[in-house]
Amino acid sequence: MKKNTLILLSLILLLALTFAVSLIFGGTRISLSELLSANQASGIMHTIIWKIRIPRIILSMLVGAGLAASGAILQGILRNPLAEPYTLGISGGAAFGATIAVVLGIGALGLPVFAFLGALLSVSFVYLIASKKYFSVSTLVLSGVILSFLFSAVIMLIFSVSRADKVQSTLLWLMGDLSSAETGLTAIVAGFVLTGILVLLLFSREVDILTLGEEKAAYLGVDAASALKILFITTSLITGACVASSGIIGFVGIIIPHFIRQLRGPKHFGLVIFSSLAGAIFLCLADTFARTIIYPVELPVGVITGILGGLFFIVFLLKSKSWDGM
Amino acid sequence: MNLLDIKNLSCGYDGKEIIKNISFSVNKGAFLGILGPNGAGKTTLFKALAKFLKPMNGGIIFQGENTAGISAGNLAKKVAVLPQVLDVPFSFTIEEFVLLGRHPHLKKLEIPKKKDYAIVENAMAKLDIDYLRHRKLKDLSGGERQRALIAQALAQEPELLLLDEPVNHLDIKHQIEILDLLKDLNSAGLTVIIILHDLNLASEYCDNLLLLNDGRIHSSGTAESVLKYEILEEVYKTVLIVEKNPLSGKPYILLVSKFTKEKRKRENL
């Protein structure tokens, strides 16, 4: 219990620190005194702080938290530490929606809507296919993988008949892009992610039991099929909102839950809380890095999470004595 | 009243009947062994008893109530089940793992109370695994792991414990330890239904036996009445010799290899 409180406090402290650091760094460097008087500040500085930087910081934190929490739960219910928020086909659907939006020339405002609709489309397909059979882990994974292949083939088909510049801008979006952050979008994503995480916490003990397999779960009084349905829909809505607002950011959803599980075990209540906080910190730092390192050009944040996360993971893997990823 | 009444039960997979019209009863406090060759339907019957498999016909009456009408959550308060294979991919500590057995008794969002922790302590103490509480399940030896699984089942505070070949991969010392322990729990009032492959273990420990063959009950009753060479040779289709365990007086089964048979033939015996 003591260890958990310590981890929780350090993560919250780190999150606050990350917020401050990310607020200061950017194309325009904001000094501490300017920051402290941000409320009275007028004109351009006020706009940069309140309309651009804060929504983006909060969006990056929400997306990081949402992806890490979804990853933690999906790894649990699919009983596979290699699962991630995109395993069940949601990224394929979102990418399909985004591709359509870009190719049709629908503006930046329409893209999240299209991506979210695409995500819902693939989730509904996966749900329907899995429901046709007994709603189980294996039918979910199978239909998710099939849907992913189907959508990526369709996307390639669209690419092959589209102009190069449209392909390029879709590809950049696909690698993760938080630059469309603004207050309204951030608020919507906050609604999905925070409500979703609450639902996941509500079912955390069921997830603990589902890791023992559907048969044993039934013997411990858990209705596996209906728990799976609720958890699948919840993680899908969280992931869908994350992907629609910021593209397909990899690595956060797979590596953060791994890391936290290694630190404090597989019980999902703590795992979801700690993963959310760690995911928020990680993605916010990665995004700050992505938008400042070669300013004025912005790197896709997915590239940064991949490189930073990959290097960090390798070092951790080599240093840790008892790493087993479980 | 019987604890369990199985009435004209038929069940199977994908429309194919594996268990064919079986009826039997289990008294409270019984220690019943289910035997039979591979493919006889032992595990299928077991899954139906545990309500993981729906009956195609007939039903299972537990304490006077058809299990079809009892929710999984309510059944788990009274019946604990150890399946044949349990693969646990994540590294729960033993204490965390045993505590999961309290789930059926906890309401949504209810945090385990002192009472629940006391029950978990008690279960770990009974199984003599309290010193392993901070170890990971996957780091345990086969015998220790089996104890942890039984401790989790006991944390459910069941009246009936179903076990599917719980001593399969254990050496003879650990087989005896686990079965002795189950026998102690049984003496304290727990009803036990256990699938066993080893006829000698079944003979020594079970009060009653149910011998399945091809989805039907071939014979049932005490070890002395079921474990006869005529019956066993017919069901298992191999030559066997049944002797008596000199200490317990229970039937003891000896096997006869092809090599021995040929040797005896050559020597004209």
Side-chain angles (χ1 to χ4, degrees), chain B residues 151-187:
Chain B
Q152 188 192 56
L154 288 191
Q156 285 174 253
E157 297 188 297
E159 292 171 39
L160 171 63
L161 178 60
L162 299 171
L163 307 108
D164 190 353
E165 298 186 20
V167 295
N168 245 10
H169 308 289
L170 303 182
D171 63 39
I172 195 155
K173 168 179 181 262
H174 286 99
Q175 287 187 331
I176 290 168
E177 274 181 15
I178 294 283
L179 286 166
D180 280 345
L181 212 139
L182 291 173
K183 198 77 182 165
D184 287 343
L185 293 169
N186 176 245
S187 307

Side-chain angles (χ1 to χ4, degrees), chain A residues 75-77 79-81 134 201-203 205-209 211-216 218-223 261 264-269 324-326, chain B residues 46-47 50-52 72-73 76 79 81-83 86-92 96-97 99-101 103-104 106-112 138 149 152 156:
Chain A
Q75 288 175 1
I77 56 177
R79 310 178 71 213
N80 187 341
Y134 180 71
L201 286 176
L202 227 65
F203 280 85
R205 200 167 56 224
E206 274 85 350
V207 180
D208 290 343
I209 288 173
T211 65
L212 308 182
E214 285 147 281
E215 186 182 350
K216 184 68 192 184
Y219 299 150
L220 285 168
V222 172
D223 179 353
R261 203 181 285 116
R264 55 146 331 273
K267 290 199 83 176
H268 287 83
F269 189 81
D324 59 5
M326 306 294 197
Chain B
F46 180 87
K47 284 183 179 171
K51 206 187 171 234
F52 190 64
V79 182
V81 185
L82 252 67
L86 184 68
D87 167 40
V88 183
F90 296 107
S91 306
F92 289 104
E96 288 170 337
F97 182 75
L99 185 60
L100 290 181
H103 179 77
L106 295 171
K107 292 189 198 75
K108 187 110 222 147
L109 283 183
E110 189 183 342
I111 297 164
K138 65 177 177 49
L149 300 194
Q152 188 192 56
Q156 285 174 253

Side-chain angles (χ1 to χ4, degrees), chain A residues 16-32 34-35 45 48-49 52-57 60 284-295 298:
Chain A
L17 214 66
T18 304
F19 187 86
V21 168
S22 305
L23 201 53
I24 289 168
F25 287 99
T28 315
R29 183 76 179 268
I30 301 171
S31 70
L32 218 55
E34 281 170 317
L35 205 60
M45 200 53 94
I48 288 178
I49 293 175
I52 298 175
R53 214 160 278 174
I54 287 183
R56 180 159 181 168
I57 289 171
S60 69
C284 185
L285 286 178
D287 185 51
T288 304
F289 197 70
R291 64 186 162 83
T292 51
I293 189 73
I294 50 165
Y295 183 80
E298 242 185 53

